[in-house]
Amino acid sequence: MDVSSYVLLSHEQALRRRLDVAANNMANISTVGFKREQPVFHDYVEHADQAVTEDAKTTAFVLDYGATHDTTAGAFQPTGNPLDVMIDGPGYLAVEAPGGATAYTRAGLIHVLPSGDLGTISGQRLLGEGGKPINIPLEDAGNLSVAADGTVSGKTGQLGRIAITVFPSEAGVTPRGDGLMAASGGRELSATETKLRSGGVEGSNVQPISETADMVEILRAYQSSQQMTQSMTDMRRKAIDQLGKVG
């Protein structure tokens, strides 16, 4: 296999990665708090000592570097549950992940767990101010409200505050694979900095039309790459035939 074939192969691998990410975005159109992902690629440049021409000494390949997520806010979706919240701005809800680690999410579907603590729809305990869970007394369970600063109140008064954690760079916030995000070095917002909308959640920020158009573009690029591969194969076959006649 010559250099041109390797270049085309790296291009097709990058297209496959783009298609996987776009398909995952489409699959999460209805996922609460989901952030659209987009792949990031780097050039790998190889310099050869000898080549037919000077320009051919430098060859650029495509390398999969990772993925970033679009931080654009999704639309507010009313749910009728006074505990459900949408973060109005940057940041994440902190939850207790399996194993005791802290994970993060934008999905604000909140309810009272059997243990009496506030938790997510998936069963993780919500971590409030100072990283502590918010426990709800039995007499308050049916009469709860969440203020814009995250304060949770019941019939007996204030019960705790939902904390929002922000990070210096979104590049360090990565999917864990279980619907949660992993990150470190975050800062917990104060009550005056916290902005929550209760009674609803943040919808996915995936735009179906944009993702569909992207998938069509990927398909066309792959078809063009395949045509180039076939053209080079035909050219090599003709060259071999001609050399055979000369011999």
Side-chain angles (χ1 to χ4, degrees), residues 38-55:
Q38 44 197 7
V40 178
F41 300 102
H42 276 187
D43 282 343
Y44 173 76
V45 180
E46 184 177 275
H47 298 279
D49 294 331
Q50 296 180 343
V52 177
T53 64
E54 189 66 27
D55 292 341

Side-chain angles (χ1 to χ4, degrees), residues 92-98 100-107 109-110 118-121 123-128 131 163 165 176 179-181:
Y92 297 85
L93 301 172
V95 299
E96 186 179 76
T102 300
Y104 302 91
T105 181
R106 294 276 298 190
L109 291 165
I110 299 173
L118 289 185
T120 67
I121 196 69
Q124 293 96 5
R125 285 201 303 177
L126 184 69
L127 300 180
T165 303
R176 286 167 43 103
L180 301 174
M181 311 293 281

Side-chain angles (χ1 to χ4, degrees), residues 37-238:
E37 292 187 332
Q38 44 197 7
V40 178
F41 300 102
H42 276 187
D43 282 343
Y44 173 76
V45 180
E46 184 177 275
H47 298 279
D49 294 331
Q50 296 180 343
V52 177
T53 64
E54 189 66 27
D55 292 341
K57 288 185 177 181
T58 302
T59 306
F61 299 89
V62 184
L63 291 182
D64 181 9
Y65 182 72
T68 61
H69 53 275
D70 181 1
T71 58
T72 304
F76 181 75
Q77 297 179 345
T79 61
N81 178 11
L83 286 178
D84 289 342
V85 295
M86 171 181 169
I87 302 172
D88 189 6
Y92 297 85
L93 301 172
V95 299
E96 186 179 76
T102 300
Y104 302 91
T105 181
R106 294 276 298 190
L109 291 165
I110 299 173
H111 69 294
V112 181
L113 299 174
S115 63
D117 297 324
L118 289 185
T120 67
I121 196 69
S122 301
Q124 293 96 5
R125 285 201 303 177
L126 184 69
L127 300 180
E129 199 169 27
K132 299 177 181 178
I134 303 173
N135 189 265
I136 307 299
L138 187 60
E139 60 269 25
D140 288 315
N143 189 19
L144 297 170
S145 63
V146 180
D149 66 354
T151 300
V152 180
S153 302
K155 293 164 63 174
T156 58
Q158 296 183 1
L159 305 172
R161 192 175 74 84
I162 297 174
I164 306 301
T165 303
V166 296
F167 298 92
S169 173
E170 287 292 330
V173 183
T174 57
R176 286 167 43 103
D178 52 4
L180 301 174
M181 311 293 281
S184 61
R187 178 179 69 88
E188 191 177 289
L189 296 181
S190 65
T192 56
E193 296 174 295
T194 301
K195 294 181 181 179
L196 293 178
R197 295 180 64 182
S198 60
V201 294
E202 179 184 11
S204 169
N205 69 350
V206 175
Q207 300 296 324
I209 295 178
S210 175
E211 294 300 325
T212 302
D214 193 30
M215 293 176 78
V216 171
E217 179 185 340
I218 293 169
L219 177 61
R220 289 175 176 170
Y222 187 81
Q223 290 173 337
S224 297
S225 181
Q226 287 290 291
Q227 290 173 357
M228 291 180 65
T229 300
Q230 186 60 49
S231 297
M232 288 190 297
T233 300
D234 293 341
M235 184 172 59
R236 293 190 195 98
R237 184 180 297 113
K238 291 179 181 178

